[in-house]
Amino acid sequence: MKKINYLMKKYLNWETFKYAAAGAISGGSNVCIYFALKNIFKLNYLASNFAAFAIGVVIAYFLNRKFVFPSPSKEGKEKAKEILKFIGGRVFSCIADMGILYFLVDIIKMKSGIAKFVDSTIISVMNYFICKLLVFKA
């Protein structure tokens, strides 16, 4: 029980709230783009997901860098290293995202809309820890 209290105090704080707000914006954008591409433009659900994820990465980087994990301005190699770590983390989560979505839709036969929301929740939690522990660590 002490371990649970420690983890809650460590990770449920103002930063977590800001991440959730930024995540709602970038995640909401992701989901809207996904549904628009899938339903209006009739793209395959995985192609729609990839395009939505790529656009979401750009939105997420700027929101996370500016509002969630602010740090002194970085320039040159430092900034490039940070951006590459962010993109690398998101490439990893994109692979996980595609795998989870494929598993839920094609293996379990969940409706793609419901699967997208389940998938987005899992990926959001994973991305928080990637950003906090690897990309924007103090």
Side-chain angles (χ1 to χ4, degrees):
M1 192 62 153
K2 287 182 182 181
K3 183 77 169 172
I4 292 171
N5 285 336
Y6 168 77
L7 291 172
M8 286 181 65
K9 285 181 184 177
K10 183 174 181 177
Y11 292 111
L12 293 178
N13 52 37
W14 181 240
E15 179 185 89
T16 307
F17 175 77
K18 290 188 298 183
Y19 184 82
I25 294 167
S26 63
S29 300
N30 178 306
V31 170
C32 288
I33 293 165
Y34 170 80
F35 281 111
L37 293 174
K38 183 180 176 298
N39 296 326
I40 296 170
F41 296 101
K42 304 298 183 198
L43 290 179
N44 170 276
Y45 76 93
L46 290 174
S48 298
N49 190 58
F50 181 77
F53 203 90
I55 294 167
V57 166
V58 174
I59 294 168
Y61 175 76
F62 288 107
L63 289 173
N64 281 296
R65 178 73 170 87
K66 180 77 173 166
F67 301 109
V68 182
F69 305 104
S71 59
S73 292
K74 295 180 178 179
E75 294 186 20
K77 288 182 182 181
E78 260 188 63
K79 185 162 192 123
K81 185 177 177 183
E82 179 184 84
I83 291 169
L84 288 174
K85 284 197 291 187
F86 187 85
I87 291 171
R90 294 303 163 112
V91 166
F92 173 77
S93 63
C94 183
I95 293 166
D97 184 26
M98 292 294 203
I100 291 166
L101 198 58
Y102 175 79
F103 176 76
L104 294 175
V105 173
D106 285 343
I107 306 298
I108 294 184
K109 304 297 184 199
M110 185 181 287
K111 290 184 179 182
S112 68
I114 295 168
K116 180 61 180 166
F117 283 107
V118 171
D119 168 60
S120 293
T121 302
I122 295 166
I123 295 302
S124 293
V125 171
M126 187 174 74
N127 282 336
Y128 172 76
F129 286 105
I130 289 171
C131 284
K132 181 167 181 66
L133 302 174
L134 300 175
V135 179
F136 300 110
K137 65 182 177 181

